[in-house]
Amino acid sequence: MTGVGMPLRLRARLFRDAVLVALCVVALACAVVPLVWVLWDVVAVGVANLSLEFLTSLPAPPTIGGGGWANAIVGSVVVVGLAAAIGIPVGVGTGIYMSEYGANPLGRSARFLSEVMAGLPSIVAGVVAYGVIVVTMGQFSALSGGIALSLLFIPIVAITTQEALQMIPKDQREASFALGVSEAPTTLRVILPAAMGNVLTGVMIATARVVGETAPLLFTVFNSRYWMEGLDRPTATIPVNIYSYAISPFEHWHEQAWTGAFVLVTMVLTLNVAARTLWARRARFMAGR
Amino acid sequence: MAESMRTRALKVSFGKNEAVRGVDMDIEPRSVTAIIGPSGCGKTTFLRALNRMHDHTPAARVSGSVFLGEEDIYANGINPVELRTRVGMVFQRPNPFPTMSIRGNITFAPKRHGLARGRELDELVERVLRQAALWDEVKDRLDHSATSLSGGQQQRLCIARALAVRPGVLLMDEPASALDPTATQKIEELIYELKKEYTIVIVTHNMQQAARVSDYTAFFYIGDLVEFGETDAVFTNPREEQTEAYITGRFG
Ligand SMILES: Nc1ncnc2c1ncn2[C@@H]1O[C@H](COP(=O)(O)OP(=O)(O)O)[C@@H](O)[C@H]1O
Ligand SMILES: [Mg+2]
């Protein structure tokens, strides 16, 4: 050891470490600053105009002012609810098939298809639902919107379900088989509940993804100025409203677009927190605490 | 009701690897049969052939026959799921269901099999937990998660859970190998009690344990049943040189 060389090399290494950390901090800032900025705008501008009227009444003509998005809030809940009502059973079912019975060409194709569909541009889902349902029914409808969104919902849930089930140790299946319990109840009562935390995360991610989708809804649910009249009718939704209000020439509508965005973000956040709180209890139980 | 088991020319292979190479063994009811031998000699593989667990391993091929009482369990028309209610199994690592309570772990299978309902379920839970010498430790927290128990308690819960479907035969694959000495002793005492009502086959790599708990001992070596007889005889006066070498610790 020369007594000079080592500290120098060491200093060089420490310098490299410091540079790396600095670069990471810069990258983090690039990611976080715009996010915080956008959220801040949404909250600041959105809250400023939030009122009971906005949440409970129908839109008013722009020349009058006031009015609310109640029909769009209901519409979004219904359309996303439809997407979830279709997407959860189909997605979880597909995930179960791929995980438990999928070691065959059908299972592998299902996985491949799910991956392709998970990357599907949302506008394509809209066009498909338009071509298949809107054209057939002869009109825009909440139902076709729900189906369009479910095309985006299903693959996310299917893939996360498959991966969640596969993480459950083999000894859980064997424990159940050894008690004379057959495959179906083993999957549904032992394996699926053990994987529920991750399945739920998949459902949350899928919901968060579809709730803000605008493009597929433009082709399918379209829009409406009135309360929802039925699943087979055009319906107002928050994202489509944000879009059409934001590109309108009215200052008052621009403000409402921000408020709508705030309501949308709040809905996703509330759903997330609620699901996580419910799940935390269950997770504590499973951890034996 | 305790039943006897017999294997004839039982072979199990995984691809080209023949893990059990033609074993004839008679397992007496209401007794403990210990299976010993160096690691990888096919003990687990043999045990899992006795309740058709290999049905779930696509690579496994089983040939020969296994009789439960007078019935060949590999014959056509035998339902392996139903069979396992008669031949229960306890695994090397405790594997309670973490999503279920202590009570739920026990009642899960009996409910599905329609063995008990309502009050009967409570009685069943108490009976098997007493049999597994766990009742006093858990009676006040039956609704707690099974994972709140210690490793030794979890293993006794798994034994109680297996007893709850009323098997005649209980297979145990190194049930104490993951446990500390105190928990191990509890399991051994338990096995001694259980053999009054059940036929027990236990795999162990612990020779003292085999000597302490079993009536019969089978020594396996590279897939062959080298020696099988009353435990006293096998340990004090082995017929085969390999057996002697193994039990005196010269290899293994
Ligand atoms: N699922 C399996 N797939 C392939 N080979 C296996 C499998 N299980 C066991 N074997 C092989 O069978 C042989 C016996 O294993 P095992 O019965 O587990 O031994 P033991 O329980 O005596 O330690 C080993 O060579 C092992 O590699
Ligand atoms: Mg083994």
Side-chain angles (χ1 to χ4, degrees):
Chain A
M1 205 197 285
T2 59
V4 184
M6 274 305 286
L8 250 182
R9 283 223 307 274
L10 185 66
R11 228 177 301 158
R13 216 167 59 210
L14 286 177
F15 179 70
R16 277 207 309 278
D17 286 353
V19 168
L20 182 66
V21 172
L23 286 175
C24 289
V25 170
V26 170
L28 182 72
C30 290
V32 170
V33 168
L35 186 73
V36 172
W37 193 339
V38 168
L39 271 178
W40 174 247
D41 264 5
V42 167
V43 172
V45 187
V47 170
N49 296 290
L50 188 63
S51 62
L52 198 61
E53 186 187 10
F54 184 85
L55 297 174
T56 56
S57 54
L58 287 175
T63 46
I64 297 176
W69 284 24
N71 59 339
I73 294 171
V74 172
S76 262
V77 169
V78 169
V79 172
V80 172
L82 275 173
I86 301 167
I88 292 172
V90 175
V92 170
T94 307
I96 290 176
Y97 181 84
M98 294 191 301
S99 163
E100 307 298 303
Y101 311 96
N104 55 42
L106 179 61
R108 283 185 287 274
S109 320
R111 170 73 197 206
F112 178 71
L113 214 69
S114 300
E115 279 168 19
V116 171
M117 273 178 59
L120 192 73
S122 60
I123 198 160
V124 177
V127 171
V128 169
Y130 176 82
V132 175
I133 304 156
V134 177
V135 170
T136 316
M137 284 173 63
Q139 63 179 343
F140 295 113
S141 64
L143 184 65
S144 62
I147 291 173
L149 295 188
S150 76
L151 293 180
L152 308 169
F153 202 105
I154 291 168
I156 299 174
V157 173
I159 290 172
T160 45
T161 300
Q162 180 193 18
E163 284 168 3
L165 295 183
Q166 229 119 66
M167 275 168 52
I168 304 304
K170 199 168 126 246
D171 69 0
Q172 288 290 306
R173 282 183 185 81
E174 296 199 327
S176 181
F177 292 155
L179 294 167
V181 177
S182 50
E183 278 191 29
T186 296
T187 301
L188 295 178
R189 301 282 313 278
V190 176
I191 307 302
L192 190 58
M196 200 50 92
N198 288 336
V199 173
L200 208 65
T201 304
V203 170
M204 285 298 124
I205 292 171
T207 308
R209 164 152 193 217
V210 304
V211 79
E213 283 295 345
T214 315
L217 299 185
L218 285 169
F219 289 89
T220 51
V221 296
F222 196 59
N223 208 337
S224 159
R225 289 197 288 128
Y226 309 106
W227 290 107
M228 198 168 102
E229 293 161 276
L231 294 181
D232 60 341
R233 307 286 301 167
T235 301
T237 55
I238 300 177
V240 173
N241 261 13
I242 293 175
Y243 172 72
S244 48
Y245 275 54
I247 61 171
S248 78
F250 314 112
E251 182 58 29
H252 155 64
W253 275 23
H254 294 174
E255 286 164 2
Q256 290 204 329
W258 282 108
T259 309
F262 173 73
V263 170
L264 194 67
V265 171
T266 309
M267 280 166 62
V268 176
L269 217 64
T270 311
L271 192 65
N272 234 301
V273 170
R276 278 184 197 291
T277 314
L278 278 179
W279 181 250
R281 293 237 303 270
R282 193 88 194 113
R284 272 202 305 278
F285 176 84
M286 283 169 62
R289 270 173 273 132
Chain B
M1 183 196 58
E3 291 184 274
S4 67
M5 291 195 86
R6 263 182 305 140
T7 72
R8 289 295 177 266
L10 179 64
K11 287 186 187 159
V12 186
S13 43
F14 301 98
K16 286 207 188 92
N17 177 11
E18 209 167 60
V20 173
R21 304 177 170 177
V23 168
D24 294 349
M25 193 191 302
D26 288 14
I27 297 161
E28 294 291 322
R30 278 181 214 82
S31 69
V32 177
T33 301
I35 298 177
I36 60 171
S39 129
C41 68
K43 305 182 294 292
T44 297
T45 304
F46 174 79
L47 200 71
R48 290 164 68 91
L50 301 184
N51 68 343
R52 291 188 58 170
M53 282 306 272
H54 293 305
D55 287 24
H56 297 283
T57 313
R61 288 281 163 275
V62 180
S63 68
S65 16
V66 176
F67 295 92
L68 175 62
E70 292 309 312
E71 226 173 335
D72 183 351
I73 66 170
Y74 284 94
N76 290 332
I78 293 283
N79 176 353
V81 174
E82 198 262 345
L83 164 74
R84 294 191 199 111
T85 62
R86 295 166 64 193
V87 185
M89 185 166 227
V90 175
F91 297 81
Q92 191 163 353
R93 283 168 48 100
N95 54 2
F97 302 126
T99 58
M100 298 180 201
S101 64
I102 293 169
R103 174 208 304 278
N105 265 270
I106 295 170
T107 57
F108 172 60
K111 269 195 210 159
R112 304 215 70 81
H113 303 324
L115 290 176
R117 278 195 264 130
R119 285 270 320 283
E120 294 167 349
L121 279 171
D122 294 338
E123 287 160 19
L124 176 70
V125 168
E126 178 168 350
R127 181 165 57 76
V128 295
L129 282 173
R130 281 191 191 282
Q131 277 184 307
L134 190 58
W135 174 251
D136 291 331
E137 290 160 63
V138 302
K139 63 173 182 243
D140 298 322
R141 48 172 175 151
L142 294 176
D143 290 319
H144 287 215
S145 165
T147 43
S148 65
L149 302 174
S150 72
Q153 290 172 324
Q154 287 187 17
Q155 192 63 303
R156 278 179 284 147
L157 175 63
C158 290
I159 294 171
R161 180 176 71 179
L163 298 179
V165 294
R166 301 185 191 158
V169 181
L170 194 59
L171 310 174
M172 304 175 122
D173 190 358
E174 304 196 29
S177 69
L179 307 181
D180 63 50
T182 322
T184 301
Q185 196 192 342
K186 285 216 155 116
I187 301 273
E188 287 184 11
E189 286 164 5
L190 178 57
I191 291 168
Y192 192 82
E193 282 301 309
L194 290 176
K195 79 169 178 183
K196 293 171 188 161
E197 281 178 68
Y198 299 88
T199 306
I200 294 174
V201 185
I202 178 173
V203 171
T204 175
H205 60 216
N206 178 332
M207 242 94 51
Q208 287 77 35
Q209 184 171 71
R212 278 193 301 266
V213 302
S214 72
D215 304 296
Y216 301 93
T217 295
F219 172 61
F220 275 62
Y221 188 64
I222 326 181
D224 285 314
L225 176 57
V226 173
E227 181 151 357
F228 178 51
E230 294 192 6
T231 296
D232 286 345
V234 172
F235 276 92
T236 54
N237 194 11
R239 270 177 285 123
E240 305 291 329
E241 217 169 291
Q242 279 168 325
T243 316
E244 184 171 0
Y246 181 70
I247 61 181
T248 54
R250 265 186 279 144
F251 75 92

